[in-house]
PDB file of all heavy atoms in Angstrom:
ATOM      1  N   GLY A   1     106.400  76.616 111.428  1.00  0.00           N
ATOM      2  CA  GLY A   1     106.668  78.055 111.196  1.00  0.00           C
ATOM      3  C   GLY A   1     107.599  78.578 112.309  1.00  0.00           C
ATOM      4  O   GLY A   1     107.813  77.929 113.318  1.00  0.00           O
ATOM      5  N   VAL A   2     108.083  79.793 112.107  1.00  0.00           N
ATOM      6  CA  VAL A   2     108.951  80.455 113.082  1.00  0.00           C
ATOM      7  C   VAL A   2     108.664  81.951 113.146  1.00  0.00           C
ATOM      8  O   VAL A   2     108.190  82.528 112.189  1.00  0.00           O
ATOM      9  CB  VAL A   2     110.477  80.261 112.820  1.00  0.00           C
ATOM     10  CG1 VAL A   2     110.861  78.819 112.739  1.00  0.00           C
ATOM     11  CG2 VAL A   2     110.865  80.987 111.540  1.00  0.00           C
ATOM     12  N   VAL A   3     108.949  82.534 114.322  1.00  0.00           N
ATOM     13  CA  VAL A   3     109.061  83.984 114.452  1.00  0.00           C
ATOM     14  C   VAL A   3     110.490  84.254 114.936  1.00  0.00           C
ATOM     15  O   VAL A   3     110.907  83.710 115.984  1.00  0.00           O
ATOM     16  CB  VAL A   3     108.036  84.512 115.485  1.00  0.00           C
ATOM     17  CG1 VAL A   3     108.182  86.045 115.577  1.00  0.00           C
ATOM     18  CG2 VAL A   3     106.644  84.146 115.110  1.00  0.00           C
ATOM     19  N   CYS A   4     111.251  85.006 114.178  1.00  0.00           N
ATOM     20  CA  CYS A   4     112.610  85.325 114.550  1.00  0.00           C
ATOM     21  C   CYS A   4     112.708  86.661 115.254  1.00  0.00           C
ATOM     22  O   CYS A   4     111.820  87.510 115.124  1.00  0.00           O
ATOM     23  CB  CYS A   4     113.481  85.374 113.307  1.00  0.00           C
ATOM     24  SG  CYS A   4     113.446  83.854 112.286  1.00  0.00           S
ATOM     25  N   SER A   5     113.806  86.851 115.964  1.00  0.00           N
ATOM     26  CA  SER A   5     113.972  88.057 116.778  1.00  0.00           C
ATOM     27  C   SER A   5     113.951  89.356 115.960  1.00  0.00           C
ATOM     28  O   SER A   5     113.588  90.403 116.452  1.00  0.00           O
ATOM     29  CB  SER A   5     115.232  87.980 117.612  1.00  0.00           C
ATOM     30  OG  SER A   5     116.378  87.861 116.759  1.00  0.00           O
ATOM     31  N   GLU A   6     114.422  89.255 114.679  1.00  0.00           N
ATOM     32  CA  GLU A   6     114.485  90.484 113.867  1.00  0.00           C
ATOM     33  C   GLU A   6     113.126  90.852 113.215  1.00  0.00           C
ATOM     34  O   GLU A   6     113.053  91.803 112.494  1.00  0.00           O
ATOM     35  CB  GLU A   6     115.589  90.401 112.835  1.00  0.00           C
ATOM     36  CG  GLU A   6     116.980  90.312 113.458  1.00  0.00           C
ATOM     37  CD  GLU A   6     117.300  91.419 114.451  1.00  0.00           C
ATOM     38  OE1 GLU A   6     117.432  92.570 113.996  1.00  0.00           O
ATOM     39  OE2 GLU A   6     117.423  91.112 115.646  1.00  0.00           O
ATOM     40  N   HIS A   7     112.141  89.998 113.405  1.00  0.00           N
ATOM     41  CA  HIS A   7     110.801  90.315 112.903  1.00  0.00           C
ATOM     42  C   HIS A   7     110.226  91.462 113.718  1.00  0.00           C
ATOM     43  O   HIS A   7     110.378  91.531 114.935  1.00  0.00           O
ATOM     44  CB  HIS A   7     109.878  89.102 113.043  1.00  0.00           C
ATOM     45  CG  HIS A   7     108.425  89.421 112.934  1.00  0.00           C
ATOM     46  ND1 HIS A   7     107.822  89.841 111.776  1.00  0.00           N
ATOM     47  CD2 HIS A   7     107.433  89.407 113.891  1.00  0.00           C
ATOM     48  CE1 HIS A   7     106.534  90.058 112.016  1.00  0.00           C
ATOM     49  NE2 HIS A   7     106.285  89.778 113.274  1.00  0.00           N
ATOM     50  N   GLN A   8     109.559  92.395 113.047  1.00  0.00           N
ATOM     51  CA  GLN A   8     108.909  93.513 113.742  1.00  0.00           C
ATOM     52  C   GLN A   8     107.427  93.528 113.330  1.00  0.00           C
ATOM     53  O   GLN A   8     107.097  93.353 112.179  1.00  0.00           O
ATOM     54  CB  GLN A   8     109.500  94.867 113.331  1.00  0.00           C
ATOM     55  CG  GLN A   8     110.934  95.041 113.758  1.00  0.00           C
ATOM     56  CD  GLN A   8     111.494  96.441 113.456  1.00  0.00           C
ATOM     57  OE1 GLN A   8     110.739  97.371 113.237  1.00  0.00           O
ATOM     58  NE2 GLN A   8     112.819  96.537 113.380  1.00  0.00           N
ATOM     59  N   GLU A   9     106.545  93.702 114.337  1.00  0.00           N
ATOM     60  CA  GLU A   9     105.140  93.889 114.045  1.00  0.00           C
ATOM     61  C   GLU A   9     104.658  95.023 114.947  1.00  0.00           C
ATOM     62  O   GLU A   9     105.256  95.276 116.003  1.00  0.00           O
ATOM     63  CB  GLU A   9     104.338  92.609 114.191  1.00  0.00           C
ATOM     64  CG  GLU A   9     104.205  92.096 115.609  1.00  0.00           C
ATOM     65  CD  GLU A   9     103.520  90.764 115.676  1.00  0.00           C
ATOM     66  OE1 GLU A   9     104.120  89.741 115.321  1.00  0.00           O
ATOM     67  OE2 GLU A   9     102.352  90.744 116.109  1.00  0.00           O
ATOM     68  N   TRP A  10     103.572  95.680 114.579  1.00  0.00           N
ATOM     69  CA  TRP A  10     103.117  96.869 115.277  1.00  0.00           C
ATOM     70  C   TRP A  10     101.644  96.770 115.621  1.00  0.00           C
ATOM     71  O   TRP A  10     100.872  96.061 114.977  1.00  0.00           O
ATOM     72  CB  TRP A  10     103.308  98.127 114.403  1.00  0.00           C
ATOM     73  CG  TRP A  10     104.733  98.299 113.994  1.00  0.00           C
ATOM     74  CD1 TRP A  10     105.728  98.991 114.690  1.00  0.00           C
ATOM     75  CD2 TRP A  10     105.428  97.756 112.852  1.00  0.00           C
ATOM     76  NE1 TRP A  10     106.922  98.879 114.033  1.00  0.00           N
ATOM     77  CE2 TRP A  10     106.780  98.148 112.877  1.00  0.00           C
ATOM     78  CE3 TRP A  10     104.962  96.989 111.777  1.00  0.00           C
ATOM     79  CZ2 TRP A  10     107.682  97.799 111.947  1.00  0.00           C
ATOM     80  CZ3 TRP A  10     105.894  96.640 110.800  1.00  0.00           C
ATOM     81  CH2 TRP A  10     107.237  97.027 110.879  1.00  0.00           C
ATOM     82  N   ARG A  11     101.305  97.469 116.720  1.00  0.00           N
ATOM     83  CA  ARG A  11      99.891  97.614 117.092  1.00  0.00           C
ATOM     84  C   ARG A  11      99.729  98.984 117.726  1.00  0.00           C
ATOM     85  O   ARG A  11     100.656  99.598 118.198  1.00  0.00           O
ATOM     86  CB  ARG A  11      99.480  96.508 118.052  1.00  0.00           C
ATOM     87  CG  ARG A  11     100.149  96.593 119.421  1.00  0.00           C
ATOM     88  CD  ARG A  11      99.771  95.433 120.303  1.00  0.00           C
ATOM     89  NE  ARG A  11     100.452  95.548 121.622  1.00  0.00           N
ATOM     90  CZ  ARG A  11     100.551  94.533 122.489  1.00  0.00           C
ATOM     91  NH1 ARG A  11     100.101  93.331 122.197  1.00  0.00           N
ATOM     92  NH2 ARG A  11     101.122  94.726 123.681  1.00  0.00           N
ATOM     93  N   LEU A  12      98.491  99.428 117.735  1.00  0.00           N
ATOM     94  CA  LEU A  12      98.136 100.688 118.428  1.00  0.00           C
ATOM     95  C   LEU A  12      97.274 100.313 119.624  1.00  0.00           C
ATOM     96  O   LEU A  12      96.280  99.625 119.499  1.00  0.00           O
ATOM     97  CB  LEU A  12      97.381 101.625 117.498  1.00  0.00           C
ATOM     98  CG  LEU A  12      98.198 102.073 116.260  1.00  0.00           C
ATOM     99  CD1 LEU A  12      97.387 102.931 115.314  1.00  0.00           C
ATOM    100  CD2 LEU A  12      99.428 102.841 116.718  1.00  0.00           C
ATOM    101  N   ALA A  13      97.699 100.750 120.794  1.00  0.00           N
ATOM    102  CA  ALA A  13      97.083 100.363 122.049  1.00  0.00           C
ATOM    103  C   ALA A  13      96.440 101.551 122.764  1.00  0.00           C
ATOM    104  O   ALA A  13      96.961 102.665 122.715  1.00  0.00           O
ATOM    105  CB  ALA A  13      98.103  99.740 122.985  1.00  0.00           C
ATOM    106  N   GLY A  14      95.302 101.318 123.411  1.00  0.00           N
ATOM    107  CA  GLY A  14      94.700 102.318 124.277  1.00  0.00           C
ATOM    108  C   GLY A  14      93.817 103.345 123.561  1.00  0.00           C
ATOM    109  O   GLY A  14      93.279 104.249 124.177  1.00  0.00           O
ATOM    110  N   GLY A  15      93.699 103.193 122.222  1.00  0.00           N
ATOM    111  CA  GLY A  15      92.824 104.097 121.483  1.00  0.00           C
ATOM    112  C   GLY A  15      91.433 103.456 121.347  1.00  0.00           C
ATOM    113  O   GLY A  15      91.155 102.405 121.925  1.00  0.00           O
ATOM    114  N   ARG A  16      90.530 104.142 120.614  1.00  0.00           N
ATOM    115  CA  ARG A  16      89.174 103.615 120.564  1.00  0.00           C
ATOM    116  C   ARG A  16      89.065 102.416 119.602  1.00  0.00           C
ATOM    117  O   ARG A  16      88.107 101.682 119.616  1.00  0.00           O
ATOM    118  CB  ARG A  16      88.215 104.731 120.157  1.00  0.00           C
ATOM    119  CG  ARG A  16      88.470 105.281 118.783  1.00  0.00           C
ATOM    120  CD  ARG A  16      87.530 106.456 118.515  1.00  0.00           C
ATOM    121  NE  ARG A  16      87.849 107.018 117.216  1.00  0.00           N
ATOM    122  CZ  ARG A  16      87.343 108.141 116.776  1.00  0.00           C
ATOM    123  NH1 ARG A  16      86.457 108.803 117.535  1.00  0.00           N
ATOM    124  NH2 ARG A  16      87.665 108.616 115.587  1.00  0.00           N
ATOM    125  N   ASP A  17      90.081 102.204 118.738  1.00  0.00           N
ATOM    126  CA  ASP A  17      90.119 101.010 117.880  1.00  0.00           C
ATOM    127  C   ASP A  17      91.549 100.742 117.431  1.00  0.00           C
ATOM    128  O   ASP A  17      92.466 101.379 117.953  1.00  0.00           O
ATOM    129  CB  ASP A  17      89.179 101.187 116.654  1.00  0.00           C
ATOM    130  CG  ASP A  17      89.542 102.376 115.778  1.00  0.00           C
ATOM    131  OD1 ASP A  17      90.743 102.786 115.792  1.00  0.00           O
ATOM    132  OD2 ASP A  17      88.671 102.878 115.082  1.00  0.00           O
ATOM    133  N   GLY A  18      91.694  99.816 116.521  1.00  0.00           N
ATOM    134  CA  GLY A  18      93.041  99.435 116.130  1.00  0.00           C
ATOM    135  C   GLY A  18      93.780 100.431 115.236  1.00  0.00           C
ATOM    136  O   GLY A  18      94.919 100.196 114.845  1.00  0.00           O
ATOM    137  N   CYS A  19      93.130 101.563 114.946  1.00  0.00           N
ATOM    138  CA  CYS A  19      93.756 102.585 114.104  1.00  0.00           C
ATOM    139  C   CYS A  19      94.080 103.855 114.866  1.00  0.00           C
ATOM    140  O   CYS A  19      94.338 104.909 114.288  1.00  0.00           O
ATOM    141  CB  CYS A  19      92.833 102.910 112.940  1.00  0.00           C
ATOM    142  SG  CYS A  19      92.713 101.579 111.715  1.00  0.00           S
ATOM    143  N   ALA A  20      94.097 103.775 116.185  1.00  0.00           N
ATOM    144  CA  ALA A  20      94.465 104.946 116.998  1.00  0.00           C
ATOM    145  C   ALA A  20      95.048 104.470 118.340  1.00  0.00           C
ATOM    146  O   ALA A  20      94.618 103.421 118.856  1.00  0.00           O
ATOM    147  CB  ALA A  20      93.215 105.817 117.301  1.00  0.00           C
ATOM    148  N   GLY A  21      96.028 105.186 118.868  1.00  0.00           N
ATOM    149  CA  GLY A  21      96.549 104.866 120.176  1.00  0.00           C
ATOM    150  C   GLY A  21      98.062 104.983 120.246  1.00  0.00           C
ATOM    151  O   GLY A  21      98.716 105.585 119.391  1.00  0.00           O
ATOM    152  N   ARG A  22      98.611 104.395 121.300  1.00  0.00           N
ATOM    153  CA  ARG A  22     100.051 104.434 121.524  1.00  0.00           C
ATOM    154  C   ARG A  22     100.675 103.367 120.624  1.00  0.00           C
ATOM    155  O   ARG A  22     100.205 102.251 120.514  1.00  0.00           O
ATOM    156  CB  ARG A  22     100.352 104.098 122.970  1.00  0.00           C
ATOM    157  CG  ARG A  22     101.835 104.205 123.303  1.00  0.00           C
ATOM    158  CD  ARG A  22     102.116 103.936 124.745  1.00  0.00           C
ATOM    159  NE  ARG A  22     101.906 102.529 125.087  1.00  0.00           N
ATOM    160  CZ  ARG A  22     102.233 101.972 126.223  1.00  0.00           C
ATOM    161  NH1 ARG A  22     102.749 102.732 127.180  1.00  0.00           N
ATOM    162  NH2 ARG A  22     102.048 100.713 126.477  1.00  0.00           N
ATOM    163  N   VAL A  23     101.783 103.745 119.973  1.00  0.00           N
ATOM    164  CA  VAL A  23     102.475 102.793 119.054  1.00  0.00           C
ATOM    165  C   VAL A  23     103.296 101.785 119.884  1.00  0.00           C
ATOM    166  O   VAL A  23     104.110 102.206 120.739  1.00  0.00           O
ATOM    167  CB  VAL A  23     103.397 103.547 118.094  1.00  0.00           C
ATOM    168  CG1 VAL A  23     104.055 102.588 117.134  1.00  0.00           C
ATOM    169  CG2 VAL A  23     102.630 104.645 117.353  1.00  0.00           C
ATOM    170  N   GLU A  24     103.047 100.506 119.624  1.00  0.00           N
ATOM    171  CA  GLU A  24     103.828  99.468 120.283  1.00  0.00           C
ATOM    172  C   GLU A  24     104.378  98.528 119.220  1.00  0.00           C
ATOM    173  O   GLU A  24     103.703  98.218 118.227  1.00  0.00           O
ATOM    174  CB  GLU A  24     102.971  98.652 121.263  1.00  0.00           C
ATOM    175  CG  GLU A  24     102.473  99.556 122.413  1.00  0.00           C
ATOM    176  CD  GLU A  24     101.601  98.831 123.430  1.00  0.00           C
ATOM    177  OE1 GLU A  24     101.249  97.631 123.203  1.00  0.00           O
ATOM    178  OE2 GLU A  24     101.247  99.457 124.448  1.00  0.00           O
ATOM    179  N   VAL A  25     105.635  98.136 119.424  1.00  0.00           N
ATOM    180  CA  VAL A  25     106.308  97.249 118.411  1.00  0.00           C
ATOM    181  C   VAL A  25     106.760  95.975 119.086  1.00  0.00           C
ATOM    182  O   VAL A  25     107.334  96.002 120.175  1.00  0.00           O
ATOM    183  CB  VAL A  25     107.486  98.006 117.737  1.00  0.00           C
ATOM    184  CG1 VAL A  25     108.449  98.565 118.761  1.00  0.00           C
ATOM    185  CG2 VAL A  25     108.224  97.108 116.759  1.00  0.00           C
ATOM    186  N   PHE A  26     106.489  94.855 118.419  1.00  0.00           N
ATOM    187  CA  PHE A  26     106.985  93.566 118.918  1.00  0.00           C
ATOM    188  C   PHE A  26     108.303  93.291 118.193  1.00  0.00           C
ATOM    189  O   PHE A  26     108.380  93.255 116.969  1.00  0.00           O
ATOM    190  CB  PHE A  26     106.010  92.441 118.612  1.00  0.00           C
ATOM    191  CG  PHE A  26     106.441  91.103 119.123  1.00  0.00           C
ATOM    192  CD1 PHE A  26     106.287  90.783 120.473  1.00  0.00           C
ATOM    193  CD2 PHE A  26     107.012  90.158 118.305  1.00  0.00           C
ATOM    194  CE1 PHE A  26     106.716  89.527 120.969  1.00  0.00           C
ATOM    195  CE2 PHE A  26     107.418  88.908 118.785  1.00  0.00           C
ATOM    196  CZ  PHE A  26     107.277  88.631 120.104  1.00  0.00           C
ATOM    197  N   PHE A  27     109.374  93.185 118.955  1.00  0.00           N
ATOM    198  CA  PHE A  27     110.723  93.048 118.385  1.00  0.00           C
ATOM    199  C   PHE A  27     111.603  92.346 119.406  1.00  0.00           C
ATOM    200  O   PHE A  27     111.560  92.652 120.573  1.00  0.00           O
ATOM    201  CB  PHE A  27     111.277  94.474 118.087  1.00  0.00           C
ATOM    202  CG  PHE A  27     112.647  94.483 117.500  1.00  0.00           C
ATOM    203  CD1 PHE A  27     112.950  93.814 116.303  1.00  0.00           C
ATOM    204  CD2 PHE A  27     113.635  95.218 118.108  1.00  0.00           C
ATOM    205  CE1 PHE A  27     114.220  93.845 115.761  1.00  0.00           C
ATOM    206  CE2 PHE A  27     114.921  95.266 117.576  1.00  0.00           C
ATOM    207  CZ  PHE A  27     115.212  94.576 116.403  1.00  0.00           C
ATOM    208  N   ARG A  28     112.412  91.364 118.884  1.00  0.00           N
ATOM    209  CA  ARG A  28     113.269  90.571 119.775  1.00  0.00           C
ATOM    210  C   ARG A  28     112.532  89.983 120.956  1.00  0.00           C
ATOM    211  O   ARG A  28     113.007  89.947 122.090  1.00  0.00           O
ATOM    212  CB  ARG A  28     114.502  91.416 120.215  1.00  0.00           C
ATOM    213  CG  ARG A  28     115.355  91.768 118.982  1.00  0.00           C
ATOM    214  CD  ARG A  28     116.669  92.405 119.299  1.00  0.00           C
ATOM    215  NE  ARG A  28     117.269  92.826 118.056  1.00  0.00           N
ATOM    216  CZ  ARG A  28     118.286  93.730 117.928  1.00  0.00           C
ATOM    217  NH1 ARG A  28     118.764  94.292 118.970  1.00  0.00           N
ATOM    218  NH2 ARG A  28     118.744  94.016 116.755  1.00  0.00           N
ATOM    219  N   GLY A  29     111.313  89.519 120.703  1.00  0.00           N
ATOM    220  CA  GLY A  29     110.563  88.749 121.691  1.00  0.00           C
ATOM    221  C   GLY A  29     109.809  89.542 122.745  1.00  0.00           C
ATOM    222  O   GLY A  29     109.279  88.987 123.655  1.00  0.00           O
ATOM    223  N   THR A  30     109.730  90.875 122.549  1.00  0.00           N
ATOM    224  CA  THR A  30     109.062  91.675 123.578  1.00  0.00           C
ATOM    225  C   THR A  30     108.345  92.852 122.945  1.00  0.00           C
ATOM    226  O   THR A  30     108.701  93.282 121.842  1.00  0.00           O
ATOM    227  CB  THR A  30     110.038  92.152 124.636  1.00  0.00           C
ATOM    228  OG1 THR A  30     109.326  92.839 125.690  1.00  0.00           O
ATOM    229  CG2 THR A  30     111.086  93.109 124.095  1.00  0.00           C
ATOM    230  N   TRP A  31     107.307  93.375 123.592  1.00  0.00           N
ATOM    231  CA  TRP A  31     106.624  94.614 123.131  1.00  0.00           C
ATOM    232  C   TRP A  31     107.341  95.828 123.724  1.00  0.00           C
ATOM    233  O   TRP A  31     107.663  95.831 124.895  1.00  0.00           O
ATOM    234  CB  TRP A  31     105.146  94.608 123.543  1.00  0.00           C
ATOM    235  CG  TRP A  31     104.343  93.623 122.748  1.00  0.00           C
ATOM    236  CD1 TRP A  31     104.044  92.332 123.082  1.00  0.00           C
ATOM    237  CD2 TRP A  31     103.806  93.834 121.424  1.00  0.00           C
ATOM    238  NE1 TRP A  31     103.286  91.754 122.075  1.00  0.00           N
ATOM    239  CE2 TRP A  31     103.139  92.637 121.054  1.00  0.00           C
ATOM    240  CE3 TRP A  31     103.810  94.910 120.554  1.00  0.00           C
ATOM    241  CZ2 TRP A  31     102.484  92.486 119.816  1.00  0.00           C
ATOM    242  CZ3 TRP A  31     103.149  94.782 119.340  1.00  0.00           C
ATOM    243  CH2 TRP A  31     102.485  93.576 118.954  1.00  0.00           C
ATOM    244  N   SER A  32     107.573  96.837 122.888  1.00  0.00           N
ATOM    245  CA  SER A  32     108.256  98.026 123.274  1.00  0.00           C
ATOM    246  C   SER A  32     107.466  99.270 122.763  1.00  0.00           C
ATOM    247  O   SER A  32     106.598  99.135 121.904  1.00  0.00           O
ATOM    248  CB  SER A  32     109.646  98.103 122.656  1.00  0.00           C
ATOM    249  OG  SER A  32     110.456  96.993 123.104  1.00  0.00           O
ATOM    250  N   THR A  33     107.818 100.405 123.317  1.00  0.00           N
ATOM    251  CA  THR A  33     107.226 101.666 122.823  1.00  0.00           C
ATOM    252  C   THR A  33     108.204 102.320 121.849  1.00  0.00           C
ATOM    253  O   THR A  33     109.370 101.950 121.731  1.00  0.00           O
ATOM    254  CB  THR A  33     106.923 102.631 123.973  1.00  0.00           C
ATOM    255  OG1 THR A  33     108.025 102.653 124.883  1.00  0.00           O
ATOM    256  CG2 THR A  33     105.666 102.226 124.710  1.00  0.00           C
ATOM    257  N   VAL A  34     107.692 103.343 121.153  1.00  0.00           N
ATOM    258  CA  VAL A  34     108.459 104.061 120.141  1.00  0.00           C
ATOM    259  C   VAL A  34     108.693 105.473 120.642  1.00  0.00           C
ATOM    260  O   VAL A  34     107.760 106.120 121.126  1.00  0.00           O
ATOM    261  CB  VAL A  34     107.707 104.118 118.788  1.00  0.00           C
ATOM    262  CG1 VAL A  34     108.422 104.967 117.770  1.00  0.00           C
ATOM    263  CG2 VAL A  34     107.557 102.695 118.255  1.00  0.00           C
ATOM    264  N   CYS A  35     109.930 105.936 120.593  1.00  0.00           N
ATOM    265  CA  CYS A  35     110.273 107.306 121.058  1.00  0.00           C
ATOM    266  C   CYS A  35     109.749 108.347 120.059  1.00  0.00           C
ATOM    267  O   CYS A  35     109.918 108.151 118.843  1.00  0.00           O
ATOM    268  CB  CYS A  35     111.768 107.452 121.234  1.00  0.00           C
ATOM    269  SG  CYS A  35     112.423 106.254 122.373  1.00  0.00           S
ATOM    270  N   ASN A  36     109.186 109.412 120.529  1.00  0.00           N
ATOM    271  CA  ASN A  36     108.603 110.390 119.594  1.00  0.00           C
ATOM    272  C   ASN A  36     109.619 111.485 119.190  1.00  0.00           C
ATOM    273  O   ASN A  36     109.246 112.442 118.510  1.00  0.00           O
ATOM    274  CB  ASN A  36     107.330 111.009 120.185  1.00  0.00           C
ATOM    275  CG  ASN A  36     107.597 111.994 121.305  1.00  0.00           C
ATOM    276  OD1 ASN A  36     108.723 112.103 121.829  1.00  0.00           O
ATOM    277  ND2 ASN A  36     106.560 112.724 121.728  1.00  0.00           N
ATOM    278  N   SER A  37     110.909 111.300 119.543  1.00  0.00           N
ATOM    279  CA  SER A  37     111.907 112.315 119.202  1.00  0.00           C
ATOM    280  C   SER A  37     112.061 112.511 117.682  1.00  0.00           C
ATOM    281  O   SER A  37     112.397 113.583 117.253  1.00  0.00           O
ATOM    282  CB  SER A  37     113.253 111.943 119.812  1.00  0.00           C
ATOM    283  OG  SER A  37     113.526 110.579 119.711  1.00  0.00           O
ATOM    284  N   THR A  38     111.772 111.440 116.905  1.00  0.00           N
ATOM    285  CA  THR A  38     111.805 111.553 115.456  1.00  0.00           C
ATOM    286  C   THR A  38     110.498 111.068 114.829  1.00  0.00           C
ATOM    287  O   THR A  38     110.456 110.539 113.722  1.00  0.00           O
ATOM    288  CB  THR A  38     112.989 110.760 114.834  1.00  0.00           C
ATOM    289  OG1 THR A  38     112.887 109.409 115.235  1.00  0.00           O
ATOM    290  CG2 THR A  38     114.329 111.308 115.276  1.00  0.00           C
ATOM    291  N   TRP A  39     109.432 111.149 115.600  1.00  0.00           N
ATOM    292  CA  TRP A  39     108.109 110.657 115.149  1.00  0.00           C
ATOM    293  C   TRP A  39     107.372 111.797 114.397  1.00  0.00           C
ATOM    294  O   TRP A  39     106.615 112.526 114.981  1.00  0.00           O
ATOM    295  CB  TRP A  39     107.329 110.142 116.335  1.00  0.00           C
ATOM    296  CG  TRP A  39     106.034 109.427 115.978  1.00  0.00           C
ATOM    297  CD1 TRP A  39     104.751 109.871 116.203  1.00  0.00           C
ATOM    298  CD2 TRP A  39     105.921 108.150 115.333  1.00  0.00           C
ATOM    299  NE1 TRP A  39     103.887 108.905 115.753  1.00  0.00           N
ATOM    300  CE2 TRP A  39     104.578 107.843 115.184  1.00  0.00           C
ATOM    301  CE3 TRP A  39     106.883 107.216 114.864  1.00  0.00           C
ATOM    302  CZ2 TRP A  39     104.082 106.683 114.631  1.00  0.00           C
ATOM    303  CZ3 TRP A  39     106.418 106.049 114.302  1.00  0.00           C
ATOM    304  CH2 TRP A  39     105.041 105.785 114.173  1.00  0.00           C
ATOM    305  N   TYR A  40     107.648 111.867 113.117  1.00  0.00           N
ATOM    306  CA  TYR A  40     107.068 112.941 112.309  1.00  0.00           C
ATOM    307  C   TYR A  40     105.930 112.401 111.409  1.00  0.00           C
ATOM    308  O   TYR A  40     105.602 111.225 111.497  1.00  0.00           O
ATOM    309  CB  TYR A  40     108.138 113.593 111.462  1.00  0.00           C
ATOM    310  CG  TYR A  40     109.302 114.137 112.258  1.00  0.00           C
ATOM    311  CD1 TYR A  40     110.627 113.670 112.072  1.00  0.00           C
ATOM    312  CD2 TYR A  40     109.090 115.089 113.230  1.00  0.00           C
ATOM    313  CE1 TYR A  40     111.661 114.149 112.805  1.00  0.00           C
ATOM    314  CE2 TYR A  40     110.144 115.624 114.001  1.00  0.00           C
ATOM    315  CZ  TYR A  40     111.456 115.113 113.794  1.00  0.00           C
ATOM    316  OH  TYR A  40     112.511 115.629 114.505  1.00  0.00           O
ATOM    317  N   GLU A  41     105.408 113.285 110.580  1.00  0.00           N
ATOM    318  CA  GLU A  41     104.313 112.926 109.673  1.00  0.00           C
ATOM    319  C   GLU A  41     104.633 111.656 108.836  1.00  0.00           C
ATOM    320  O   GLU A  41     103.796 110.793 108.681  1.00  0.00           O
ATOM    321  CB  GLU A  41     104.039 114.106 108.739  1.00  0.00           C
ATOM    322  CG  GLU A  41     102.728 114.015 107.992  1.00  0.00           C
ATOM    323  CD  GLU A  41     101.507 114.269 108.856  1.00  0.00           C
ATOM    324  OE1 GLU A  41     101.621 114.982 109.860  1.00  0.00           O
ATOM    325  OE2 GLU A  41     100.450 113.691 108.503  1.00  0.00           O
ATOM    326  N   THR A  42     105.883 111.619 108.313  1.00  0.00           N
ATOM    327  CA  THR A  42     106.280 110.494 107.453  1.00  0.00           C
ATOM    328  C   THR A  42     106.180 109.168 108.210  1.00  0.00           C
ATOM    329  O   THR A  42     105.575 108.195 107.708  1.00  0.00           O
ATOM    330  CB  THR A  42     107.663 110.699 106.879  1.00  0.00           C
ATOM    331  OG1 THR A  42     107.709 111.951 106.213  1.00  0.00           O
ATOM    332  CG2 THR A  42     108.032 109.601 105.880  1.00  0.00           C
ATOM    333  N   GLU A  43     106.820 109.124 109.392  1.00  0.00           N
ATOM    334  CA  GLU A  43     106.868 107.865 110.161  1.00  0.00           C
ATOM    335  C   GLU A  43     105.426 107.443 110.518  1.00  0.00           C
ATOM    336  O   GLU A  43     105.091 106.272 110.423  1.00  0.00           O
ATOM    337  CB  GLU A  43     107.688 108.069 111.423  1.00  0.00           C
ATOM    338  CG  GLU A  43     109.177 108.204 111.222  1.00  0.00           C
ATOM    339  CD  GLU A  43     109.604 109.546 110.664  1.00  0.00           C
ATOM    340  OE1 GLU A  43     108.820 110.537 110.712  1.00  0.00           O
ATOM    341  OE2 GLU A  43     110.743 109.642 110.161  1.00  0.00           O
ATOM    342  N   ALA A  44     104.621 108.401 110.973  1.00  0.00           N
ATOM    343  CA  ALA A  44     103.275 108.115 111.395  1.00  0.00           C
ATOM    344  C   ALA A  44     102.436 107.569 110.215  1.00  0.00           C
ATOM    345  O   ALA A  44     101.632 106.629 110.355  1.00  0.00           O
ATOM    346  CB  ALA A  44     102.610 109.341 111.991  1.00  0.00           C
TER     347      ALA A  44
END
């Protein structure tokens, strides 16, 4: 199997469970945060 750099996966960190917390995305081999400048109801 492979994981390619354009694959994206998400997790929520620091909340009380996996359905709450800070949004983190695995992309291009590293975990990153998401900017809230366009983080609206739809995106969430």
Side-chain angles (χ1 to χ4, degrees):
V2 302
V3 181
C4 303
S5 61
E6 295 307 292
H7 163 69
Q8 294 184 21
E9 68 186 74
W10 302 272
R11 68 184 180 195
L12 297 176
R16 62 184 176 189
D17 60 24
C19 290
R22 184 178 71 171
V23 183
E24 296 180 353
V25 54
F26 183 79
F27 179 58
R28 296 187 186 162
T30 185
W31 287 96
S32 299
T33 44
V34 174
C35 303
N36 73 350
S37 43
T38 56
W39 189 248
Y40 303 120
E41 194 74 28
T42 305
E43 289 76 16

